[in-house]
PDB file of all heavy atoms in Angstrom:
ATOM      1  N   LEU A 963       2.142 -17.601   9.740  1.00 92.00           N
ATOM      2  CA  LEU A 963       3.476 -17.022   9.902  1.00 92.00           C
ATOM      3  C   LEU A 963       3.408 -15.500   9.772  1.00 92.00           C
ATOM      4  O   LEU A 963       4.192 -14.886   9.044  1.00 92.00           O
ATOM      5  CB  LEU A 963       4.432 -17.618   8.867  1.00 92.00           C
ATOM      6  CG  LEU A 963       4.609 -19.134   8.914  1.00 92.00           C
ATOM      7  CD1 LEU A 963       5.424 -19.621   7.725  1.00 92.00           C
ATOM      8  CD2 LEU A 963       5.258 -19.543  10.223  1.00 92.00           C
ATOM      9  N   THR A 964       2.493 -14.901  10.491  1.00 94.00           N
ATOM     10  CA  THR A 964       2.247 -13.461  10.381  1.00 94.00           C
ATOM     11  C   THR A 964       3.493 -12.642  10.687  1.00 94.00           C
ATOM     12  O   THR A 964       3.797 -11.677   9.997  1.00 94.00           O
ATOM     13  CB  THR A 964       1.096 -13.050  11.320  1.00 94.00           C
ATOM     14  OG1 THR A 964      -0.046 -13.835  10.988  1.00 94.00           O
ATOM     15  CG2 THR A 964       0.766 -11.580  11.183  1.00 94.00           C
ATOM     16  N   GLU A 965       4.214 -13.011  11.730  1.00 92.00           N
ATOM     17  CA  GLU A 965       5.407 -12.241  12.087  1.00 92.00           C
ATOM     18  C   GLU A 965       6.493 -12.371  11.023  1.00 92.00           C
ATOM     19  O   GLU A 965       7.231 -11.419  10.773  1.00 92.00           O
ATOM     20  CB  GLU A 965       5.942 -12.649  13.461  1.00 92.00           C
ATOM     21  CG  GLU A 965       5.099 -12.112  14.594  1.00 92.00           C
ATOM     22  CD  GLU A 965       4.963 -10.585  14.560  1.00 92.00           C
ATOM     23  OE1 GLU A 965       5.991  -9.879  14.591  1.00 92.00           O
ATOM     24  OE2 GLU A 965       3.821 -10.100  14.500  1.00 92.00           O
ATOM     25  N   HIS A 966       6.588 -13.519  10.383  1.00 92.00           N
ATOM     26  CA  HIS A 966       7.535 -13.667   9.269  1.00 92.00           C
ATOM     27  C   HIS A 966       7.181 -12.669   8.166  1.00 92.00           C
ATOM     28  O   HIS A 966       8.059 -12.000   7.616  1.00 92.00           O
ATOM     29  CB  HIS A 966       7.503 -15.083   8.706  1.00 92.00           C
ATOM     30  CG  HIS A 966       8.183 -16.098   9.544  1.00 92.00           C
ATOM     31  ND1 HIS A 966       7.633 -16.600  10.693  1.00 92.00           N
ATOM     32  CD2 HIS A 966       9.380 -16.698   9.410  1.00 92.00           C
ATOM     33  CE1 HIS A 966       8.452 -17.482  11.223  1.00 92.00           C
ATOM     34  NE2 HIS A 966       9.532 -17.554  10.464  1.00 92.00           N
ATOM     35  N   ALA A 967       5.904 -12.591   7.846  1.00 94.00           N
ATOM     36  CA  ALA A 967       5.447 -11.669   6.807  1.00 94.00           C
ATOM     37  C   ALA A 967       5.709 -10.225   7.219  1.00 94.00           C
ATOM     38  O   ALA A 967       6.207  -9.414   6.429  1.00 94.00           O
ATOM     39  CB  ALA A 967       3.959 -11.880   6.534  1.00 94.00           C
ATOM     40  N   ARG A 968       5.383  -9.904   8.442  1.00 94.00           N
ATOM     41  CA  ARG A 968       5.540  -8.544   8.944  1.00 94.00           C
ATOM     42  C   ARG A 968       7.003  -8.108   8.921  1.00 94.00           C
ATOM     43  O   ARG A 968       7.333  -7.001   8.487  1.00 94.00           O
ATOM     44  CB  ARG A 968       4.983  -8.482  10.368  1.00 94.00           C
ATOM     45  CG  ARG A 968       4.886  -7.111  10.923  1.00 94.00           C
ATOM     46  CD  ARG A 968       4.133  -7.165  12.275  1.00 94.00           C
ATOM     47  NE  ARG A 968       4.540  -6.044  13.050  1.00 94.00           N
ATOM     48  CZ  ARG A 968       5.553  -6.005  13.910  1.00 94.00           C
ATOM     49  NH1 ARG A 968       6.240  -7.081  14.150  1.00 94.00           N
ATOM     50  NH2 ARG A 968       5.865  -4.905  14.551  1.00 94.00           N
ATOM     51  N   VAL A 969       7.906  -8.972   9.346  1.00 92.00           N
ATOM     52  CA  VAL A 969       9.330  -8.643   9.343  1.00 92.00           C
ATOM     53  C   VAL A 969       9.830  -8.409   7.920  1.00 92.00           C
ATOM     54  O   VAL A 969      10.567  -7.454   7.657  1.00 92.00           O
ATOM     55  CB  VAL A 969      10.158  -9.744  10.048  1.00 92.00           C
ATOM     56  CG1 VAL A 969      11.640  -9.593   9.770  1.00 92.00           C
ATOM     57  CG2 VAL A 969       9.882  -9.710  11.540  1.00 92.00           C
ATOM     58  N   ALA A 970       9.424  -9.252   6.996  1.00 93.00           N
ATOM     59  CA  ALA A 970       9.847  -9.076   5.604  1.00 93.00           C
ATOM     60  C   ALA A 970       9.358  -7.735   5.056  1.00 93.00           C
ATOM     61  O   ALA A 970      10.096  -7.031   4.352  1.00 93.00           O
ATOM     62  CB  ALA A 970       9.323 -10.227   4.741  1.00 93.00           C
ATOM     63  N   LEU A 971       8.136  -7.362   5.380  1.00 96.00           N
ATOM     64  CA  LEU A 971       7.592  -6.082   4.917  1.00 96.00           C
ATOM     65  C   LEU A 971       8.305  -4.898   5.569  1.00 96.00           C
ATOM     66  O   LEU A 971       8.602  -3.899   4.904  1.00 96.00           O
ATOM     67  CB  LEU A 971       6.093  -6.008   5.201  1.00 96.00           C
ATOM     68  CG  LEU A 971       5.218  -6.954   4.391  1.00 96.00           C
ATOM     69  CD1 LEU A 971       3.796  -6.965   4.947  1.00 96.00           C
ATOM     70  CD2 LEU A 971       5.215  -6.555   2.918  1.00 96.00           C
ATOM     71  N   ILE A 972       8.590  -4.998   6.857  1.00 95.00           N
ATOM     72  CA  ILE A 972       9.302  -3.914   7.547  1.00 95.00           C
ATOM     73  C   ILE A 972      10.695  -3.743   6.956  1.00 95.00           C
ATOM     74  O   ILE A 972      11.128  -2.614   6.685  1.00 95.00           O
ATOM     75  CB  ILE A 972       9.372  -4.179   9.067  1.00 95.00           C
ATOM     76  CG1 ILE A 972       7.987  -4.039   9.690  1.00 95.00           C
ATOM     77  CG2 ILE A 972      10.362  -3.215   9.742  1.00 95.00           C
ATOM     78  CD1 ILE A 972       7.899  -4.499  11.141  1.00 95.00           C
ATOM     79  N   ARG A 973      11.378  -4.844   6.743  1.00 93.00           N
ATOM     80  CA  ARG A 973      12.722  -4.760   6.148  1.00 93.00           C
ATOM     81  C   ARG A 973      12.665  -4.141   4.754  1.00 93.00           C
ATOM     82  O   ARG A 973      13.521  -3.346   4.376  1.00 93.00           O
ATOM     83  CB  ARG A 973      13.376  -6.139   6.098  1.00 93.00           C
ATOM     84  CG  ARG A 973      13.738  -6.695   7.457  1.00 93.00           C
ATOM     85  CD  ARG A 973      15.015  -6.115   7.968  1.00 93.00           C
ATOM     86  NE  ARG A 973      15.388  -6.700   9.247  1.00 93.00           N
ATOM     87  CZ  ARG A 973      16.091  -6.057  10.146  1.00 93.00           C
ATOM     88  NH1 ARG A 973      16.490  -4.826   9.921  1.00 93.00           N
ATOM     89  NH2 ARG A 973      16.411  -6.624  11.286  1.00 93.00           N
ATOM     90  N   ARG A 974      11.644  -4.493   3.979  1.00 95.00           N
ATOM     91  CA  ARG A 974      11.508  -3.904   2.628  1.00 95.00           C
ATOM     92  C   ARG A 974      11.231  -2.408   2.713  1.00 95.00           C
ATOM     93  O   ARG A 974      11.831  -1.622   1.967  1.00 95.00           O
ATOM     94  CB  ARG A 974      10.387  -4.614   1.862  1.00 95.00           C
ATOM     95  CG  ARG A 974      10.158  -4.063   0.480  1.00 95.00           C
ATOM     96  CD  ARG A 974      11.375  -4.293  -0.415  1.00 95.00           C
ATOM     97  NE  ARG A 974      11.175  -3.654  -1.699  1.00 95.00           N
ATOM     98  CZ  ARG A 974      12.053  -2.834  -2.273  1.00 95.00           C
ATOM     99  NH1 ARG A 974      13.216  -2.587  -1.701  1.00 95.00           N
ATOM    100  NH2 ARG A 974      11.785  -2.280  -3.423  1.00 95.00           N
ATOM    101  N   LEU A 975      10.345  -2.007   3.600  1.00 96.00           N
ATOM    102  CA  LEU A 975      10.059  -0.587   3.764  1.00 96.00           C
ATOM    103  C   LEU A 975      11.312   0.156   4.216  1.00 96.00           C
ATOM    104  O   LEU A 975      11.615   1.243   3.710  1.00 96.00           O
ATOM    105  CB  LEU A 975       8.908  -0.372   4.754  1.00 96.00           C
ATOM    106  CG  LEU A 975       8.533   1.072   5.054  1.00 96.00           C
ATOM    107  CD1 LEU A 975       8.171   1.843   3.792  1.00 96.00           C
ATOM    108  CD2 LEU A 975       7.375   1.105   6.051  1.00 96.00           C
ATOM    109  N   ASP A 976      12.058  -0.416   5.129  1.00 94.00           N
ATOM    110  CA  ASP A 976      13.304   0.203   5.584  1.00 94.00           C
ATOM    111  C   ASP A 976      14.289   0.392   4.427  1.00 94.00           C
ATOM    112  O   ASP A 976      14.970   1.409   4.341  1.00 94.00           O
ATOM    113  CB  ASP A 976      13.962  -0.622   6.683  1.00 94.00           C
ATOM    114  CG  ASP A 976      13.218  -0.564   8.003  1.00 94.00           C
ATOM    115  OD1 ASP A 976      12.293   0.256   8.144  1.00 94.00           O
ATOM    116  OD2 ASP A 976      13.571  -1.351   8.904  1.00 94.00           O
ATOM    117  N   GLU A 977      14.367  -0.610   3.545  1.00 94.00           N
ATOM    118  CA  GLU A 977      15.251  -0.487   2.375  1.00 94.00           C
ATOM    119  C   GLU A 977      14.858   0.715   1.527  1.00 94.00           C
ATOM    120  O   GLU A 977      15.717   1.473   1.075  1.00 94.00           O
ATOM    121  CB  GLU A 977      15.189  -1.750   1.519  1.00 94.00           C
ATOM    122  CG  GLU A 977      15.836  -2.964   2.123  1.00 94.00           C
ATOM    123  CD  GLU A 977      15.549  -4.233   1.332  1.00 94.00           C
ATOM    124  OE1 GLU A 977      14.923  -4.156   0.248  1.00 94.00           O
ATOM    125  OE2 GLU A 977      15.934  -5.313   1.808  1.00 94.00           O
ATOM    126  N   ILE A 978      13.571   0.889   1.315  1.00 96.00           N
ATOM    127  CA  ILE A 978      13.090   2.004   0.502  1.00 96.00           C
ATOM    128  C   ILE A 978      13.325   3.336   1.206  1.00 96.00           C
ATOM    129  O   ILE A 978      13.733   4.314   0.578  1.00 96.00           O
ATOM    130  CB  ILE A 978      11.598   1.819   0.148  1.00 96.00           C
ATOM    131  CG1 ILE A 978      11.423   0.615  -0.778  1.00 96.00           C
ATOM    132  CG2 ILE A 978      11.026   3.078  -0.496  1.00 96.00           C
ATOM    133  CD1 ILE A 978       9.984   0.204  -1.008  1.00 96.00           C
ATOM    134  N   VAL A 979      13.078   3.373   2.511  1.00 94.00           N
ATOM    135  CA  VAL A 979      13.307   4.612   3.266  1.00 94.00           C
ATOM    136  C   VAL A 979      14.774   5.025   3.164  1.00 94.00           C
ATOM    137  O   VAL A 979      15.086   6.199   2.963  1.00 94.00           O
ATOM    138  CB  VAL A 979      12.896   4.436   4.749  1.00 94.00           C
ATOM    139  CG1 VAL A 979      13.415   5.576   5.603  1.00 94.00           C
ATOM    140  CG2 VAL A 979      11.384   4.331   4.861  1.00 94.00           C
ATOM    141  N   MET A 980      15.678   4.075   3.273  1.00 92.00           N
ATOM    142  CA  MET A 980      17.109   4.374   3.252  1.00 92.00           C
ATOM    143  C   MET A 980      17.640   4.661   1.845  1.00 92.00           C
ATOM    144  O   MET A 980      18.635   5.348   1.685  1.00 92.00           O
ATOM    145  CB  MET A 980      17.904   3.221   3.867  1.00 92.00           C
ATOM    146  CG  MET A 980      17.575   2.984   5.335  1.00 92.00           C
ATOM    147  SD  MET A 980      17.807   4.433   6.377  1.00 92.00           S
ATOM    148  CE  MET A 980      19.580   4.556   6.343  1.00 92.00           C
ATOM    149  N   ASP A 981      16.970   4.134   0.830  1.00 94.00           N
ATOM    150  CA  ASP A 981      17.436   4.313  -0.549  1.00 94.00           C
ATOM    151  C   ASP A 981      16.233   4.435  -1.482  1.00 94.00           C
ATOM    152  O   ASP A 981      15.772   3.451  -2.052  1.00 94.00           O
ATOM    153  CB  ASP A 981      18.316   3.137  -0.963  1.00 94.00           C
ATOM    154  CG  ASP A 981      18.906   3.311  -2.350  1.00 94.00           C
ATOM    155  OD1 ASP A 981      18.759   4.396  -2.961  1.00 94.00           O
ATOM    156  OD2 ASP A 981      19.523   2.351  -2.844  1.00 94.00           O
ATOM    157  N   GLN A 982      15.741   5.659  -1.610  1.00 94.00           N
ATOM    158  CA  GLN A 982      14.548   5.875  -2.433  1.00 94.00           C
ATOM    159  C   GLN A 982      14.810   5.665  -3.919  1.00 94.00           C
ATOM    160  O   GLN A 982      13.872   5.588  -4.707  1.00 94.00           O
ATOM    161  CB  GLN A 982      13.976   7.263  -2.168  1.00 94.00           C
ATOM    162  CG  GLN A 982      13.412   7.366  -0.775  1.00 94.00           C
ATOM    163  CD  GLN A 982      12.844   8.736  -0.474  1.00 94.00           C
ATOM    164  OE1 GLN A 982      12.571   9.517  -1.366  1.00 94.00           O
ATOM    165  NE2 GLN A 982      12.668   9.018   0.805  1.00 94.00           N
ATOM    166  N   SER A 983      16.078   5.497  -4.301  1.00 94.00           N
ATOM    167  CA  SER A 983      16.363   5.192  -5.698  1.00 94.00           C
ATOM    168  C   SER A 983      15.804   3.825  -6.090  1.00 94.00           C
ATOM    169  O   SER A 983      15.665   3.526  -7.274  1.00 94.00           O
ATOM    170  CB  SER A 983      17.863   5.260  -5.985  1.00 94.00           C
ATOM    171  OG  SER A 983      18.537   4.189  -5.358  1.00 94.00           O
ATOM    172  N   GLU A 984      15.457   3.010  -5.089  1.00 93.00           N
ATOM    173  CA  GLU A 984      14.833   1.720  -5.386  1.00 93.00           C
ATOM    174  C   GLU A 984      13.454   1.890  -6.013  1.00 93.00           C
ATOM    175  O   GLU A 984      12.900   0.948  -6.564  1.00 93.00           O
ATOM    176  CB  GLU A 984      14.741   0.874  -4.121  1.00 93.00           C
ATOM    177  CG  GLU A 984      16.099   0.452  -3.618  1.00 93.00           C
ATOM    178  CD  GLU A 984      16.028  -0.694  -2.655  1.00 93.00           C
ATOM    179  OE1 GLU A 984      15.058  -1.458  -2.700  1.00 93.00           O
ATOM    180  OE2 GLU A 984      16.985  -0.840  -1.878  1.00 93.00           O
ATOM    181  N   LEU A 985      12.908   3.093  -5.909  1.00 96.00           N
ATOM    182  CA  LEU A 985      11.599   3.379  -6.496  1.00 96.00           C
ATOM    183  C   LEU A 985      11.700   3.949  -7.913  1.00 96.00           C
ATOM    184  O   LEU A 985      10.677   4.254  -8.516  1.00 96.00           O
ATOM    185  CB  LEU A 985      10.825   4.369  -5.614  1.00 96.00           C
ATOM    186  CG  LEU A 985      10.458   3.883  -4.219  1.00 96.00           C
ATOM    187  CD1 LEU A 985       9.811   5.012  -3.431  1.00 96.00           C
ATOM    188  CD2 LEU A 985       9.539   2.683  -4.294  1.00 96.00           C
ATOM    189  N   LEU A 986      12.924   4.112  -8.406  1.00 95.00           N
ATOM    190  CA  LEU A 986      13.078   4.675  -9.747  1.00 95.00           C
ATOM    191  C   LEU A 986      12.430   3.771 -10.792  1.00 95.00           C
ATOM    192  O   LEU A 986      12.553   2.544 -10.734  1.00 95.00           O
ATOM    193  CB  LEU A 986      14.555   4.862 -10.088  1.00 95.00           C
ATOM    194  CG  LEU A 986      15.262   6.015  -9.390  1.00 95.00           C
ATOM    195  CD1 LEU A 986      16.755   5.972  -9.686  1.00 95.00           C
ATOM    196  CD2 LEU A 986      14.671   7.348  -9.815  1.00 95.00           C
ATOM    197  N   ARG A 987      11.757   4.416 -11.718  1.00 94.00           N
ATOM    198  CA  ARG A 987      11.192   3.661 -12.849  1.00 94.00           C
ATOM    199  C   ARG A 987      12.346   3.110 -13.680  1.00 94.00           C
ATOM    200  O   ARG A 987      13.391   3.740 -13.788  1.00 94.00           O
ATOM    201  CB  ARG A 987      10.303   4.559 -13.684  1.00 94.00           C
ATOM    202  CG  ARG A 987       9.072   5.024 -12.952  1.00 94.00           C
ATOM    203  CD  ARG A 987       8.156   5.855 -13.861  1.00 94.00           C
ATOM    204  NE  ARG A 987       7.101   6.470 -13.087  1.00 94.00           N
ATOM    205  CZ  ARG A 987       6.001   5.856 -12.678  1.00 94.00           C
ATOM    206  NH1 ARG A 987       5.803   4.599 -13.001  1.00 94.00           N
ATOM    207  NH2 ARG A 987       5.084   6.491 -11.972  1.00 94.00           N
ATOM    208  N   PRO A 988      12.176   1.949 -14.279  1.00 92.00           N
ATOM    209  CA  PRO A 988      13.253   1.366 -15.084  1.00 92.00           C
ATOM    210  C   PRO A 988      13.710   2.341 -16.176  1.00 92.00           C
ATOM    211  O   PRO A 988      12.890   2.936 -16.874  1.00 92.00           O
ATOM    212  CB  PRO A 988      12.615   0.122 -15.699  1.00 92.00           C
ATOM    213  CG  PRO A 988      11.498  -0.226 -14.764  1.00 92.00           C
ATOM    214  CD  PRO A 988      11.004   1.086 -14.220  1.00 92.00           C
ATOM    215  N   GLY A 989      15.015   2.530 -16.258  1.00 92.00           N
ATOM    216  CA  GLY A 989      15.585   3.407 -17.275  1.00 92.00           C
ATOM    217  C   GLY A 989      15.553   4.882 -16.923  1.00 92.00           C
ATOM    218  O   GLY A 989      15.996   5.711 -17.705  1.00 92.00           O
ATOM    219  N   SER A 990      15.040   5.236 -15.781  1.00 92.00           N
ATOM    220  CA  SER A 990      14.940   6.638 -15.386  1.00 92.00           C
ATOM    221  C   SER A 990      15.937   6.945 -14.275  1.00 92.00           C
ATOM    222  O   SER A 990      16.274   6.087 -13.468  1.00 92.00           O
ATOM    223  CB  SER A 990      13.526   6.966 -14.904  1.00 92.00           C
ATOM    224  OG  SER A 990      13.477   8.295 -14.432  1.00 92.00           O
ATOM    225  N   ARG A 991      16.355   8.206 -14.242  1.00 91.00           N
ATOM    226  CA  ARG A 991      17.256   8.644 -13.170  1.00 91.00           C
ATOM    227  C   ARG A 991      16.547   9.516 -12.158  1.00 91.00           C
ATOM    228  O   ARG A 991      17.116   9.856 -11.139  1.00 91.00           O
ATOM    229  CB  ARG A 991      18.429   9.405 -13.752  1.00 91.00           C
ATOM    230  CG  ARG A 991      19.345   8.532 -14.551  1.00 91.00           C
ATOM    231  CD  ARG A 991      20.525   9.305 -15.018  1.00 91.00           C
ATOM    232  NE  ARG A 991      21.506   8.382 -15.557  1.00 91.00           N
ATOM    233  CZ  ARG A 991      22.753   8.683 -15.732  1.00 91.00           C
ATOM    234  NH1 ARG A 991      23.183   9.870 -15.425  1.00 91.00           N
ATOM    235  NH2 ARG A 991      23.582   7.797 -16.230  1.00 91.00           N
ATOM    236  N   LYS A 992      15.278   9.901 -12.458  1.00 91.00           N
ATOM    237  CA  LYS A 992      14.590  10.775 -11.515  1.00 91.00           C
ATOM    238  C   LYS A 992      13.104  10.483 -11.326  1.00 91.00           C
ATOM    239  O   LYS A 992      12.536  10.871 -10.325  1.00 91.00           O
ATOM    240  CB  LYS A 992      14.773  12.238 -11.898  1.00 91.00           C
ATOM    241  CG  LYS A 992      14.150  12.604 -13.226  1.00 91.00           C
ATOM    242  CD  LYS A 992      14.323  14.079 -13.517  1.00 91.00           C
ATOM    243  CE  LYS A 992      13.580  14.419 -14.794  1.00 91.00           C
ATOM    244  NZ  LYS A 992      13.535  15.832 -15.037  1.00 91.00           N
ATOM    245  N   ASP A 993      12.482   9.769 -12.251  1.00 93.00           N
ATOM    246  CA  ASP A 993      11.051   9.477 -12.136  1.00 93.00           C
ATOM    247  C   ASP A 993      10.828   8.295 -11.199  1.00 93.00           C
ATOM    248  O   ASP A 993      11.295   7.188 -11.458  1.00 93.00           O
ATOM    249  CB  ASP A 993      10.428   9.169 -13.501  1.00 93.00           C
ATOM    250  CG  ASP A 993      10.391  10.390 -14.405  1.00 93.00           C
ATOM    251  OD1 ASP A 993      10.277  11.516 -13.877  1.00 93.00           O
ATOM    252  OD2 ASP A 993      10.493  10.207 -15.632  1.00 93.00           O
ATOM    253  N   LEU A 994      10.101   8.566 -10.117  1.00 94.00           N
ATOM    254  CA  LEU A 994       9.839   7.531  -9.120  1.00 94.00           C
ATOM    255  C   LEU A 994       8.513   6.832  -9.370  1.00 94.00           C
ATOM    256  O   LEU A 994       7.545   7.443  -9.815  1.00 94.00           O
ATOM    257  CB  LEU A 994       9.823   8.149  -7.723  1.00 94.00           C
ATOM    258  CG  LEU A 994      11.114   8.820  -7.265  1.00 94.00           C
ATOM    259  CD1 LEU A 994      10.912   9.458  -5.900  1.00 94.00           C
ATOM    260  CD2 LEU A 994      12.255   7.822  -7.220  1.00 94.00           C
ATOM    261  N   ASP A 995       8.474   5.553  -9.060  1.00 95.00           N
ATOM    262  CA  ASP A 995       7.249   4.766  -9.088  1.00 95.00           C
ATOM    263  C   ASP A 995       6.852   4.481  -7.641  1.00 95.00           C
ATOM    264  O   ASP A 995       7.430   3.604  -6.996  1.00 95.00           O
ATOM    265  CB  ASP A 995       7.474   3.462  -9.839  1.00 95.00           C
ATOM    266  CG  ASP A 995       6.269   2.550  -9.804  1.00 95.00           C
ATOM    267  OD1 ASP A 995       5.173   3.009  -9.402  1.00 95.00           O
ATOM    268  OD2 ASP A 995       6.414   1.368 -10.156  1.00 95.00           O
ATOM    269  N   PRO A 996       5.878   5.214  -7.109  1.00 95.00           N
ATOM    270  CA  PRO A 996       5.512   5.046  -5.702  1.00 95.00           C
ATOM    271  C   PRO A 996       4.626   3.841  -5.418  1.00 95.00           C
ATOM    272  O   PRO A 996       4.316   3.568  -4.268  1.00 95.00           O
ATOM    273  CB  PRO A 996       4.777   6.347  -5.383  1.00 95.00           C
ATOM    274  CG  PRO A 996       4.156   6.735  -6.687  1.00 95.00           C
ATOM    275  CD  PRO A 996       5.134   6.299  -7.746  1.00 95.00           C
ATOM    276  N   SER A 997       4.233   3.087  -6.428  1.00 95.00           N
ATOM    277  CA  SER A 997       3.295   1.985  -6.218  1.00 95.00           C
ATOM    278  C   SER A 997       3.770   0.944  -5.200  1.00 95.00           C
ATOM    279  O   SER A 997       2.936   0.394  -4.475  1.00 95.00           O
ATOM    280  CB  SER A 997       2.912   1.326  -7.548  1.00 95.00           C
ATOM    281  OG  SER A 997       4.037   0.734  -8.157  1.00 95.00           O
ATOM    282  N   PRO A 998       5.069   0.647  -5.092  1.00 96.00           N
ATOM    283  CA  PRO A 998       5.469  -0.308  -4.047  1.00 96.00           C
ATOM    284  C   PRO A 998       5.084   0.154  -2.643  1.00 96.00           C
ATOM    285  O   PRO A 998       4.793  -0.672  -1.777  1.00 96.00           O
ATOM    286  CB  PRO A 998       6.988  -0.400  -4.204  1.00 96.00           C
ATOM    287  CG  PRO A 998       7.229  -0.086  -5.639  1.00 96.00           C
ATOM    288  CD  PRO A 998       6.206   0.960  -5.974  1.00 96.00           C
ATOM    289  N   LEU A 999       5.060   1.450  -2.422  1.00 97.00           N
ATOM    290  CA  LEU A 999       4.663   1.962  -1.103  1.00 97.00           C
ATOM    291  C   LEU A 999       3.183   1.748  -0.844  1.00 97.00           C
ATOM    292  O   LEU A 999       2.775   1.470   0.282  1.00 97.00           O
ATOM    293  CB  LEU A 999       5.025   3.444  -0.974  1.00 97.00           C
ATOM    294  CG  LEU A 999       6.526   3.723  -0.946  1.00 97.00           C
ATOM    295  CD1 LEU A 999       6.788   5.214  -1.057  1.00 97.00           C
ATOM    296  CD2 LEU A 999       7.150   3.141   0.305  1.00 97.00           C
ATOM    297  N   LEU A1000       2.365   1.878  -1.890  1.00 97.00           N
ATOM    298  CA  LEU A1000       0.930   1.607  -1.726  1.00 97.00           C
ATOM    299  C   LEU A1000       0.694   0.130  -1.433  1.00 97.00           C
ATOM    300  O   LEU A1000      -0.150  -0.220  -0.602  1.00 97.00           O
ATOM    301  CB  LEU A1000       0.166   2.033  -2.975  1.00 97.00           C
ATOM    302  CG  LEU A1000       0.126   3.532  -3.246  1.00 97.00           C
ATOM    303  CD1 LEU A1000      -0.588   3.817  -4.567  1.00 97.00           C
ATOM    304  CD2 LEU A1000      -0.536   4.266  -2.103  1.00 97.00           C
ATOM    305  N   ILE A1001       1.450  -0.727  -2.102  1.00 97.00           N
ATOM    306  CA  ILE A1001       1.327  -2.168  -1.856  1.00 97.00           C
ATOM    307  C   ILE A1001       1.752  -2.490  -0.426  1.00 97.00           C
ATOM    308  O   ILE A1001       1.067  -3.257   0.269  1.00 97.00           O
ATOM    309  CB  ILE A1001       2.158  -2.961  -2.888  1.00 97.00           C
ATOM    310  CG1 ILE A1001       1.546  -2.798  -4.281  1.00 97.00           C
ATOM    311  CG2 ILE A1001       2.259  -4.437  -2.489  1.00 97.00           C
ATOM    312  CD1 ILE A1001       2.426  -3.290  -5.406  1.00 97.00           C
ATOM    313  N   LEU A1002       2.853  -1.895   0.022  1.00 98.00           N
ATOM    314  CA  LEU A1002       3.288  -2.117   1.403  1.00 98.00           C
ATOM    315  C   LEU A1002       2.235  -1.638   2.395  1.00 98.00           C
ATOM    316  O   LEU A1002       1.952  -2.311   3.385  1.00 98.00           O
ATOM    317  CB  LEU A1002       4.619  -1.403   1.672  1.00 98.00           C
ATOM    318  CG  LEU A1002       5.853  -2.049   1.062  1.00 98.00           C
ATOM    319  CD1 LEU A1002       7.057  -1.132   1.182  1.00 98.00           C
ATOM    320  CD2 LEU A1002       6.139  -3.389   1.723  1.00 98.00           C
ATOM    321  N   THR A1003       1.650  -0.474   2.122  1.00 98.00           N
ATOM    322  CA  THR A1003       0.590   0.049   2.994  1.00 98.00           C
ATOM    323  C   THR A1003      -0.544  -0.957   3.107  1.00 98.00           C
ATOM    324  O   THR A1003      -1.003  -1.272   4.207  1.00 98.00           O
ATOM    325  CB  THR A1003       0.065   1.394   2.462  1.00 98.00           C
ATOM    326  OG1 THR A1003       1.141   2.339   2.423  1.00 98.00           O
ATOM    327  CG2 THR A1003      -1.052   1.930   3.322  1.00 98.00           C
ATOM    328  N   GLU A1004      -0.993  -1.473   1.970  1.00 97.00           N
ATOM    329  CA  GLU A1004      -2.092  -2.447   1.962  1.00 97.00           C
ATOM    330  C   GLU A1004      -1.722  -3.723   2.705  1.00 97.00           C
ATOM    331  O   GLU A1004      -2.544  -4.270   3.456  1.00 97.00           O
ATOM    332  CB  GLU A1004      -2.477  -2.776   0.518  1.00 97.00           C
ATOM    333  CG  GLU A1004      -3.127  -1.622  -0.209  1.00 97.00           C
ATOM    334  CD  GLU A1004      -3.288  -1.899  -1.698  1.00 97.00           C
ATOM    335  OE1 GLU A1004      -2.938  -3.009  -2.164  1.00 97.00           O
ATOM    336  OE2 GLU A1004      -3.767  -0.988  -2.401  1.00 97.00           O
TER     337      GLU A1004
END
């Protein structure tokens, strides 16, 4: 189900592109955790 996986990843990346606050570290208002982007890249 490669295309299913690919679509889910694209939609997740789009969510982050549109709202980078999704990368905020828990409890922080400005510190970003970029690790989800590295996981998406992989």
